[in-house]
Amino acid sequence: MKITVYSLRDDEKEVLEKQKEKLQVEIEQTQEEPSLENVDLLNGCQGVSVLGQTMIGKELLDAWKEKGIQYISTRTIGYNHIDVDYARKIGLRVCNANYAPNGVADFTIMMILMSLRNYKQALWRGQVNDYSLFGLRGREMRSLTIGVMGTGRIGQTVLKSLRGFGCRLIAYDVYQNDETKKYAEYLPLEEFYKQADVISLHMPLLDSTKYIINSKSIQQMKDQVIIINCARGELVDLDAVIEGIESCKIGALGLDVVEGEEGITHMDHRVDIIANQKMAYLRQFRNVIMTPHMAFYTEEAVESMMECGIAGILEMSEKEKGSTEIVR
Ligand code: NAD
């Protein structure tokens, strides 16, 4: 088996070396993002490993198919950057990574606490020796209702960790599960919006979840609601949340991901022009925390992402089911 690993970061190299040795696979590796210009890297390969910052659409999939690629593995949990339906149509199998949800869950709780305690403002003020308390008064978790939308692996872990804070926990999902029922009360969406002081999003980006947070849904929420998005940017309509912040309907926003982040996050743009007006506008608000898609980024997850990435290709090849599906 020969695999090309695209978008290799320096911090992934050591794990990749270990995987090569352990699994006896031949690896072609590059820091380049996948593109039509570098398909020649795939000569003799059956598998491709990618990250999440490049869209893998029809043209690229056709070019990969022509090169003899059979298996695509993304080292991320989310797989919305791959046209999975088209891959299936042309007979390519795709899998995603199933690394532990704890890193993202921890980060989510940090975002909730930072938002509740106005920590961004306190941090900024400290830079200019302003140690005043004005405007920094926060709220305590024990007095609040925290709502999780999307109660899969990450959402459940967030709820489990939140138990210790003494807050009331509510949940919404299109498929309810028993594990979540141990920690939280499922509510219909309208009721969920009505009752939550904090809403944290943990569903995948699908046609049905795109812009699920929009003007209409925000109007159904409590005044001063806090919205946290550590899932995918496109779950949130940025025009609607900008309007919500400007009108003070939204009390705070914590965004680890934002629509149009591709080509911006995970790169140093100190001397560039960043062409994403909504992102630039939002980040100046005292009550909007924006982080560069880093909720996943822990020592444990980086190691596991690469392991899942390579092992996923080998598993697909071993199973040889003859059908294309997300297997992880
Ligand atoms: P998961 O598949 O285990 O859970 C997703 C849940 O969302 C499922 O329970 C599903 O039923 C639910 N869902 C689907 N459609 C819904 C809808 N319309 N309304 C409510 N719920 C709906 O996924 P996971 O491992 O918990 O990951 C969730 C998402 O987090 C991923 O898809 C990925 O996009 C994102 N993520 C972000 C980072 C980061 O660094 N910021 C890292 C990892 C994952």
Side-chain angles (χ1 to χ4, degrees):
M1 169 69 74
K2 191 176 172 196
I3 296 170
T4 292
V5 174
Y6 277 107
S7 317
L8 185 73
R9 293 192 313 262
D10 287 344
D11 56 52
E12 293 181 308
K13 285 181 181 166
E14 200 184 321
V15 199
L16 182 59
E17 286 309 312
K18 278 193 218 158
Q19 288 295 296
K20 266 191 221 174
E21 211 165 292
K22 186 174 151 198
L23 301 169
Q24 294 295 304
V25 279
E26 204 183 331
I27 302 275
E28 186 74 52
Q29 63 195 63
T30 176
Q31 297 200 321
E32 289 175 30
E33 293 291 319
S35 76
L36 289 171
E37 280 68 55
N38 57 28
V39 281
D40 282 344
L41 288 172
L42 302 179
N43 288 338
C45 288
Q46 295 84 50
V48 180
S49 164
V50 298
L51 280 175
Q53 292 293 316
T54 302
M55 294 306 297
I56 314 289
K58 292 188 175 71
E59 262 190 311
L60 207 49
L61 291 168
D62 279 335
W64 288 0
K65 173 83 182 169
E66 208 166 294
K67 278 280 175 193
I69 294 301
Q70 292 166 267
Y71 312 109
I72 301 167
S73 159
T74 178
R75 310 196 286 285
T76 56
I77 291 177
Y79 50 86
N80 50 284
H81 54 291
I82 302 174
D83 188 339
V84 178
D85 289 341
Y86 189 70
R88 179 181 290 125
K89 197 171 151 196
I90 63 172
L92 293 174
R93 299 195 65 198
V94 181
C95 76
N96 64 334
N98 64 350
Y99 60 90
N102 303 68
V104 181
D106 291 356
F107 197 88
T108 302
I109 288 163
M110 180 192 76
M111 288 281 230
I112 296 174
L113 286 167
M114 285 177 75
S115 302
L116 285 171
R117 303 309 295 268
N118 299 301
Y119 190 61
K120 174 177 174 179
Q121 181 77 340
L123 197 66
W124 278 14
R125 288 184 192 186
Q127 307 301 315
V128 292
N129 287 338
D130 175 355
Y131 305 114
S132 63
L133 281 175
F134 168 73
L136 298 186
R137 192 170 61 189
R139 285 187 281 172
E140 295 181 23
M141 295 270 241
R142 69 187 166 105
S143 316
L144 302 175
T145 297
I146 313 243
V148 164
M149 276 180 89
T151 54
R153 295 174 75 236
I154 296 172
Q156 272 172 40
T157 311
V158 169
L159 287 166
K160 204 169 170 181
S161 303
L162 280 172
R163 278 179 315 172
F165 287 95
C167 38
R168 177 173 171 243
L169 297 173
I170 59 173
Y172 172 76
D173 197 309
V174 283
Y175 301 106
Q176 303 189 355
N177 63 69
D178 290 341
E179 185 65 14
T180 297
K181 288 179 189 166
K182 291 185 197 163
Y183 319 121
E185 181 189 354
Y186 277 112
L187 293 176
L189 191 53
E190 211 174 303
E191 204 49 45
F192 174 91
Y193 285 146
K194 219 187 265 180
Q195 296 192 21
D197 296 292
V198 177
I199 294 178
S200 190
L201 310 178
H202 298 288
M203 52 281 216
L205 174 60
L206 307 166
D207 288 344
S208 57
T209 58
K210 188 171 181 184
Y211 299 150
I212 195 163
I213 302 302
N214 54 46
S215 304
K216 206 171 143 213
S217 57
I218 292 168
Q219 278 324 306
Q220 296 174 62
M221 295 175 194
K222 275 191 171 181
D223 288 344
Q224 290 294 292
V225 63
I226 292 175
I227 301 172
I228 306 293
N229 186 8
C230 289
R232 282 293 178 268
E234 291 86 344
L235 299 181
V236 170
D237 175 351
L238 288 180
D239 288 323
V241 290
I242 286 172
E243 154 67 22
I245 287 284
E246 285 175 340
S247 65
C248 298
K249 170 77 182 175
I250 295 177
L253 269 180
L255 304 177
D256 182 50
V257 286
V258 71
E259 183 171 21
E261 69 177 42
E262 296 78 14
I264 299 176
T265 50
H266 302 175
M267 290 174 196
D268 182 349
H269 289 288
R270 274 176 294 184
V271 295
D272 295 348
I273 299 297
I274 295 178
N276 188 327
Q277 291 183 4
K278 291 174 194 169
M279 190 171 165
Y281 182 62
L282 264 174
R283 70 175 314 121
Q284 45 93 23
F285 290 106
R286 64 166 175 79
N287 52 352
V288 178
I289 300 166
M290 290 171 83
T291 50
H293 198 149
M294 58 177 285
F296 75 93
Y297 196 50
T298 63
E299 283 177 23
E300 292 87 340
V302 167
E303 185 157 349
S304 177
M305 285 165 84
M306 183 56 84
E307 285 170 4
C308 293
I310 304 300
I313 291 176
L314 299 182
E315 276 171 33
M316 287 192 284
S317 136
E318 279 157 22
K319 282 182 187 162
E320 289 288 18
K321 281 184 186 159
S323 65
T324 311
E325 63 193 83
I326 295 287
V327 293
R328 288 178 157 271

